[in-house]
Amino acid sequence: MTELRVRRARIADVAREAGVSKAAVSFAFNSPERLSAETVTRIHEVATALEYRPHPVARMLTARQTTTVGVLSPQALPQVFANPFFALFAEGVAAVTEERGFGLLFISPLHGSLARAVGRATVDGMVVVGLDESHPEVEVIRRAGLPMVLVDAPAWPEHGAVEIDDHGGARSAAQHLVDLGHRDVLVVAIEPPVPGGNRAMSVSGRRLAGYRAVLEAAGILLGPERIVAGPATFDGGEAALLRAWEDGLRPTAALAMSDAMAVGVLQAARHLGLRVPEHLSVVGFDDLPISRFTDPPLTTVHQPVRLKGEEAARLLLATLATGQAGAATHRLLETRLVVRRSTAAPPRTRGQEVVGHD
Amino acid sequence: MTELRVRRARIADVAREAGVSKAAVSFAFNSPERLSAETVTRIHEVATALEYRPHPVARMLTARQTTTVGVLSPQALPQVFANPFFALFAEGVAAVTEERGFGLLFISPLHGSLARAVGRATVDGMVVVGLDESHPEVEVIRRAGLPMVLVDAPAWPEHGAVEIDDHGGARSAAQHLVDLGHRDVLVVAIEPPVPGGNRAMSVSGRRLAGYRAVLEAAGILLGPERIVAGPATFDGGEAALLRAWEDGLRPTAALAMSDAMAVGVLQAARHLGLRVPEHLSVVGFDDLPISRFTDPPLTTVHQPVRLKGEEAARLLLATLATGQAGAATHRLLETRLVVRRSTAAPPRTRGQEVVGHD
DNA sequence: AGGTTTGCGTAAACCGGTTTGCTAAACCGG
DNA sequence: CCGGTTTAGCAAACCGGTTTACGCAAACCT
């Protein structure tokens, strides 16, 4: 048992020891030109001898800035980190915050209350991901006077926003399947993270609308039984296909709203003895790094996830620097279909008899 | 252009408006029983009308605690998030910090200097991952008087530590291959993140020692040309096998120090027309969630990564709570080999002629 | 009536820094 | 030798809260 809390030296200790005022010590570090050279060195000597380090919290208080940005997401933190999409997004955010010398604080629903967590967060601004205006938290942040950038949420005039064309991306995925001749398609949807969320305006809602537009234009009906939802994880995707199969569905293709889920679908397909793409075509969404490494490599809708993080951070830091929300703070990033090897024309014969092939 | 920085109400504003002292306002929130009921409600009313929220930084200063823990790693943040191992570890840390109401701050080498970053970090303690005692930063943290828990680093008597049996895990992986009859093995090693690091004591060094012990006991020489290193990523693993192949090596098995690298090896093998496990056996390390979903599912050394994060966080919070480092703060977690389907006996015939099979 | 307790609030010190005047001494040219 | 400008450093205010010590009136005793 060792006592850990060694009383750390304060500025007053250094001042006393060096025989100067607190102000002098502060100057010695922050504007040494205001002091004579020898005084500065003496103070520095004393400071190092005492192992003095300015207290970061005290500094934050007077500087009235924290040099830290927050990343706010509606899910609990463990779920956030379990999501490879988010890891990639965080990668982008971190790249620019780090380069600019900002810290990164993850904010999550503290004991269920995002609002409380926001109030406690010592950040200069926030990147808010996956929360639309229907969430009360957003209002809390605005009230707190914190600049913020919204990601994947309908734009809010006075705040920055970074979005992608979910609808278009989803359309291109569906169109690809239709072009290949598929008519029996399963949608593997992302469960909205927060039940209270406005479904229609969520990422999930927008992608579904895109799928539906193309499918219905091709005369394919997308009944609710053909839409199976789960968390955006490997397991979520695996469970989704398995469940659909148990329910008697025999689709020739699956449209997954995330690559993580698509990987799970691949696994479930193997488990069911279905070959991809011969028996089942799979299309993902996101184009995560992992998607190049699956077997077969995944056909998916690319979105620049890392760039999204970078742009969000850049927008936020720009806002922080100017103290104003610029006019051109709304970025819409592109999506595009990347065709790899998990999609092909549907099998000539339908459903059943493929079981047990392998 | 909207002005964002609305001047937020301070405690003095509320006090003036409610016709009471600052102290009264503080009491109204923190110990309302000291005030009469009607005064409390009046203060609350004024506070909500003014949208008053106590300034978190000021509170930190007086409370002399931040209710935040830091996670310190030697790599740059983007690399950290790109590493699925780390995401899983963070998941564990986050699970317990979140439950206990602590924030999570990621600390990385600010402009190259970890030491400076540490000095700036407003945390009550740190989880330090992948830094051994040879790193000067560790000394900085100690000097700062911050409690810390070291992960994957040789134990430091007065600090908590969480480790796994890297040597034993590596041995079991190598033994598995030896038992299958492999004699020509490639080691796909993790590049030490920091060049200055003490190689021998790093995770990489410990695992290598484990491989080597078993291999040499079986009379298999592990020359330096059979050890190829890279970053612990998909691409790192892919590049590693490709490079070895180019150099003329034709191993029948690969021992990867991380699952991420193993996935890359799988991909490279496909690219080279090698079937796994018929032509090449692959063993990973970590047992990440993804490893169940690769094709074939990966034989790997399981380590409880998420639990590691949880334990580290628990140890740290316990230290924080008691203000002392307890005696039993050193946890050694178990590893075990998980045999899936990426390993088999080596092909009868050696090397060359398998090329172009597929 | 006089002394004590209780309830309610306040003033001031404090957390650990930064910043703004301001003063005293050194320096300068005339 | 004098008035004016630098230079070096200090005291005090400030950032925005919390906490301690105390004042004062009304209520409670005997």
Side-chain angles (χ1 to χ4, degrees), chain B:
Chain B
M1 298 272 182
T2 13
E3 180 55 41
L4 286 172
R5 294 263 165 210
V6 286
R7 201 175 87 75
R8 56 189 285 171
R10 297 157 319 193
I11 198 170
D13 300 326
V14 179
R16 184 173 4 82
E17 208 69 13
V20 295
S21 68
K22 294 194 318 179
V25 178
S26 181
F27 287 145
F29 285 99
N30 306 315
S31 30
E33 70 282 359
R34 289 198 49 167
L35 263 38
S36 76
E38 62 262 43
T39 309
V40 170
T41 52
R42 177 160 43 95
I43 292 177
H44 279 151
E45 278 165 19
V46 173
T48 51
L50 263 48
E51 293 183 346
Y52 167 72
R53 311 225 129 267
H55 195 297
V57 175
R59 222 213 269 269
M60 276 184 183
L61 186 60
T62 62
R64 247 158 307 169
Q65 66 157 355
T66 61
T67 327
T68 300
V69 305
V71 175
L72 185 74
S73 67
Q75 291 122 306
L77 231 34
Q79 290 170 46
V80 168
F81 287 120
N83 186 337
F85 165 86
F86 196 87
L88 187 54
F89 177 77
E91 203 183 313
V93 174
V96 355
T97 56
E98 182 166 75
E99 190 223 306
R100 305 273 290 273
F102 275 70
L104 201 51
L105 183 70
F106 284 82
I107 300 160
S108 68
L110 187 60
H111 296 292
S113 162
L114 243 194
R116 182 164 39 200
V118 167
R120 261 201 21 190
T122 56
V123 299
D124 293 335
M126 304 219 171
V127 171
V128 179
V129 39
L131 282 162
D132 58 62
E133 81 251 63
S134 73
H135 288 85
E137 290 76 20
V138 174
E139 192 53 31
V140 173
I141 308 176
R142 307 185 62 210
R143 289 252 187 64
L146 284 179
M148 60 174 166
V149 171
L150 277 73
V151 176
D152 281 342
W156 194 290
E158 72 262 45
H159 296 287
V162 179
E163 286 185 274
I164 61 159
D165 180 10
D166 284 298
H167 197 274
R171 283 201 316 267
S172 66
Q175 190 64 56
H176 174 61
L177 291 181
V178 167
D179 291 348
L180 286 169
H182 292 273
R183 308 212 39 93
D184 196 346
V185 174
L186 179 75
V187 169
V188 178
I190 297 174
E191 189 115 86
V194 201
N198 181 345
R199 281 202 71 117
M201 293 317 295
S202 66
V203 168
S204 184
R206 292 195 297 273
R207 291 185 190 169
L208 182 59
Y211 293 152
R212 195 186 291 281
V214 168
L215 262 23
E216 293 191 346
I220 301 168
L221 202 66
L222 195 60
E225 79 286 354
R226 297 193 124 50
I227 303 173
V228 40
T233 59
F234 300 147
D235 298 283
E238 185 176 27
L241 180 58
L242 259 25
R243 190 149 19 105
W245 200 263
E246 263 175 30
D247 290 351
L249 263 46
R250 296 294 181 267
T252 62
L255 282 166
M257 286 193 186
S258 89
D259 281 0
M261 298 190 88
V263 171
V265 169
L266 253 28
Q267 171 79 349
R270 259 198 300 274
H271 185 80
L272 294 168
L274 298 171
R275 266 215 278 280
V276 176
E278 292 83 354
H279 303 146
L280 182 75
S281 285
V282 178
V283 185
F285 206 119
D286 289 344
D287 194 19
L288 300 181
I290 184 71
S291 309
R292 285 180 37 235
F293 294 91
T294 57
D295 183 40
L298 199 61
T299 293
T300 189
V301 178
H302 174 87
Q303 64 158 317
V305 182
R306 195 184 197 277
L307 179 63
K308 212 176 191 177
E310 291 175 19
E311 285 297 323
R314 262 193 278 272
L315 240 48
L316 182 60
L317 293 188
T319 309
L320 253 37
T322 64
Q324 301 191 317
T329 57
H330 186 239
R331 303 269 284 123
L332 183 68
L333 304 177
E334 308 238 308
T335 61
R336 68 168 195 280
L337 184 71
V338 178
V339 178
R340 286 198 272 251
R341 302 214 310 274
S342 66
T343 46
R348 205 65 51 83
T349 49
R350 306 267 329 252
Q352 295 291 82
E353 79 281 10
V354 304
V355 184
H357 254 224
D358 195 345

